[in-house]
Amino acid sequence: YNHTRLYAHDKIEAQKRLERTVYHSGIADIPLSKLRKRHLIDWRTNLQNKTCNKKEHGVNGTKKRLAPSTLNRELVPLRAALHKVLPIGAPNTEAAWQEALKPIKNADRQRTLYLDQQQRMSLLSNANSEIEPLLRGLCYLPLRVGTVAKLLVMDFDARTSELTIGKDKNGQSRKIIVPETTANFLVNQCLSKETIDPIFCRKNGASWSKETWKKPIKEAVFSAGLHPKTTAYTLRHSTITDLVTSGLPILTIAQISGTSVEMIEKHYGHLRNDAALTALEQLTSSWSGQ
């Protein structure tokens, strides 16, 4: 049953990627019989150099290249779909459509910078009062920093402890029930604010953005004596790591964090193996000497 759910979840993720990257692009109008490598190269280039919108990045038309690991994930559904309907073309020819969809090598480097709870507490205690709530929110919720920054007061229902997470990189809204400590924290953050105000905002009431949170986070990292490459993303990685090592099902973690099962398995699957080994060692330790 769990394997069926995992398959269904990944299938939905693939469908969303196709809708986002292929169905509304020029390549969607090209008949399969006329599809050539140059068409896919142009599509791939446009995808990698996608135009960000004003709402997300503050400046309309700002160019932001996809990270190699992200681009590789975006290529997977189209490559898999074409493999089902098109024969492999002769190498180094226009018919070799598959050559345009090759993944970038060594792009998916495993996340290794992890902060334990003591280090995260140190980061919070060294952060200024303006950025501290946002950082604490990232310690309590395994979400992308941009997603946390976009949360509005209306997104949290204190009566049910239900938090509505709007559309993010995952492409869909979702609801999660938060534990009591997190609920109380969110209640305090919502005090004296209007329903359309950000739950986490700057002193002037404005929302946080990448341009405004980078410096105070860097200062907190320096003051806490943490690894200089520690970023807001490090907190997300650390909370997801904790969820994986706690034994929570991969599908549940993927749904809460707004990412794919594939990504969780790729970057955190080894943690499950480590946990399994520890459990087996504990199981057999009682038999030593028997």
Side-chain angles (χ1 to χ4, degrees):
Y1 173 71
N2 284 334
H3 285 298
T4 301
R5 291 184 67 199
L6 288 172
Y7 173 77
H9 184 272
D10 281 346
K11 188 174 181 180
I12 292 173
E13 287 294 321
Q15 178 69 19
K16 289 177 181 176
R17 278 185 179 156
L18 285 174
E19 291 176 353
R20 183 175 66 249
T21 63
V22 178
Y23 296 167
H24 301 294
S25 69
I27 200 173
D29 298 325
I30 301 175
L32 287 175
S33 60
K34 296 183 178 180
L35 187 64
R36 297 294 181 266
K37 181 168 67 173
R38 66 178 182 277
H39 298 137
L40 291 167
I41 290 176
D42 289 343
W43 171 80
R44 177 175 179 152
T45 300
N46 290 333
L47 178 63
Q48 188 167 19
N49 298 310
K50 71 174 184 176
T51 301
C52 303
N53 61 47
K54 184 176 181 180
K55 183 177 180 181
E56 290 180 333
H57 295 281
V59 180
N60 196 23
T62 297
K63 296 288 185 179
K64 180 186 178 184
R65 285 176 63 86
L66 291 181
S69 57
T70 301
L71 178 63
N72 281 353
R73 289 194 293 272
E74 299 287 65
L75 297 178
V76 171
L78 179 58
R79 185 169 61 239
L82 291 180
H83 267 294
K84 289 182 175 294
V85 296
L86 285 180
I88 298 298
N92 301 315
T93 68
E94 271 298 303
W97 60 267
Q98 72 280 358
E99 294 178 355
L101 299 179
K102 287 183 177 180
I104 300 172
K105 293 182 178 181
N106 301 317
D108 291 306
R109 292 175 296 176
Q110 201 173 78
R111 277 77 164 169
T112 56
L113 186 52
Y114 167 81
L115 300 183
D116 59 30
Q117 287 197 357
Q118 191 72 27
Q119 290 172 313
R120 279 173 262 172
M121 290 175 62
S122 177
L123 179 65
L124 294 178
S125 63
N126 282 278
N128 64 50
S129 59
E130 186 178 31
I131 193 68
E132 196 272 351
L134 179 65
L135 294 179
R136 188 173 293 274
L138 292 171
C139 290
Y140 289 172
L141 300 165
L143 305 176
R144 298 177 178 86
V145 60
T147 300
V148 175
K150 292 177 183 177
L151 291 173
L152 303 178
V153 172
M154 67 173 67
D155 294 328
F156 177 61
D157 189 338
R159 298 168 301 175
T160 60
S161 297
E162 186 176 65
L163 181 65
T164 299
I165 302 167
K167 291 184 178 181
D168 59 4
K169 194 175 181 180
N170 185 46
Q172 65 178 350
S173 299
R174 58 194 186 280
K175 297 178 183 291
I176 62 174
I177 304 297
V178 300
E180 183 178 1
T181 299
T182 305
N184 291 337
F185 167 65
L186 292 175
V187 167
N188 289 331
Q189 292 304 308
C190 293
L191 290 176
S192 303
K193 293 180 181 177
E194 302 294 329
T195 57
I196 60 173
D197 290 338
I199 294 179
F200 304 100
C201 60
R202 304 180 64 194
K203 289 181 178 179
N204 61 6
S207 300
W208 285 100
S209 67
K210 186 176 182 179
E211 290 70 30
T212 56
W213 71 54
K214 287 182 66 174
K215 183 178 178 180
I217 290 179
K218 188 174 183 179
E219 291 174 345
V221 168
F222 178 79
S223 298
L226 300 176
H227 193 290
K229 289 188 177 182
T230 300
T231 64
Y233 175 81
T234 305
L235 295 177
R236 170 175 159 84
H237 167 63
S238 300
T239 55
I240 292 178
T241 297
D242 288 351
L243 292 177
V244 172
T245 54
S246 73
L248 195 66
I250 292 294
L251 177 61
T252 302
I253 298 172
Q255 291 172 334
I256 293 174
S257 59
T259 191
S260 67
V261 173
E262 176 192 12
M263 193 284 290
I264 297 292
E265 287 283 9
K266 179 180 289 290
H267 296 293
Y268 302 91
H270 66 288
L271 297 176
R272 300 178 72 193
N273 296 334
D274 293 343
L277 177 61
T278 299
L280 288 174
E281 288 175 342
Q282 293 174 346
L283 179 66
T284 57
S285 63
S286 59
W287 290 89
S288 59
Q290 297 294 322

